[in-house]
Amino acid sequence: MAKKKIAVLTGGGDAPGLNAVIYTLVRACHSMFDCEMIGYKFGYRGMYLNDFVKLDRASTTGILRRGGSILYNSNKDNLFNYTVVENGVEVQKDVSDIAIQNMKNEGVDTLVVLGGDGTLTSARDFYRRGFNVIGVPKTIDNDLPATEATFGFDTAVNIVAENLGRLHTTAESHHRVIVVEVMGRSAGWICLHAGIAGSADVIIIPEIPYSVDGIVKKIAERDAQGKPFTIVAVTEGACGEDGKPLVSKFVKGSPDAERFGGVAKYIADQVEARIKDKHEVRHCVLGHIQRGGDTSPADRILSARYGFKAAEMIRDGEFGKMVCLKAGKMDSVTLEEVLGSGETGETAKGGAKTVDPNGELVKVARAMGISFAER
Ligand code: F6P
């Protein structure tokens, strides 16, 4: 096998486990075949600007446990539809040729892309342009349908469950209600898993519309049981009474431009207006704490499996595919299958893998006495 030159990049938001994939991929590639590796900085932007670092055992030592990405992340750099300033005016251009030329100049023959829907759509498009590409799926939300599990999710669940535990002691001391907002744009996996593990009394997920009445009912039930404090865990993408999630900001150039947020404060205000003679209500937004710090051991292992499988796929010439977990085993699926055959440059909007409101885990939670605050 001829010597290979492999480039790696991490696109989209960061997720704990990206570094563990890089760590394992670098070591597995070097042990399987003769190669050189580089990492583009800030996702596709680094490809366009030819901004990269060398990846080898020395430059990746000690990163297995670290969250974030040593290659940095960007979620607004679609090179097939890139924002450039010409004569003082912002215009959208296809600059993919420049990136391809940069890779050719460096002798890069294989590209490994770690990212979510948006990043992987561009990976598919570079494959269409004749490049050897392998995708590795990433999201802490665990909502990608083409794989059973994504790294970062377990870490987020651990962080949320731990913090729900912390909030219990202070809520109990003050006889308060605390509403905790957790990540999950359109899927309630983090909230459901962490809510169960962290003993939330109410779990609110986008898949089950909530009502303030439902929350107030649970608080009254707990009061009657001699438990005058309540923890409500709510997903940022939960739908308010009008059936829409609350939007906190817009990120220009990002495939999912709307950022959801503010639902914990909204709920806290609504609930307090109804029960202020009995309890004070506070809210707490865990935000990016859920993606920070060390990667959980389970995510390190899952990431290592993804990195190893990607190296095997490079060795075996399996390109235009994404690594996935299927029936508990590492497998692969074509990028076209995952992202559809839409126009090059247009970000695919694959349906999210959402929580089944009648699924096992929801039933388990209900049996434990957890309320979903249904309308
Ligand atoms: O998709 C992962 C995620 O962490 C979501 O849960 C959250 O809505 C979003 O990213 C936040 O994005 P940003 O890092 O741009 O604030």
Side-chain angles (χ1 to χ4, degrees), residues 90-110:
E90 279 191 355
V91 287
Q92 302 300 123
K93 276 181 92 169
D94 181 347
V95 296
S96 57
D97 279 345
I98 297 170
I100 288 175
Q101 196 52 52
N102 285 340
M103 286 198 284
K104 284 186 178 157
N105 293 346
E106 286 305 321
V108 171
D109 51 60
T110 304

Side-chain angles (χ1 to χ4, degrees), residues 4-8 22 25-30 33 35-39 52-56 59 112 314:
K4 300 198 77 57
K5 185 139 184 187
I6 302 158
V8 185
I22 296 168
L25 178 70
V26 166
R27 280 155 184 76
C29 285
H30 280 98
F33 40 78
C35 66
E36 264 181 66
M37 298 179 79
I38 61 168
F52 60 85
V53 289
K54 192 173 175 199
L55 290 180
D56 55 19
S59 65
V112 181
I314 298 171

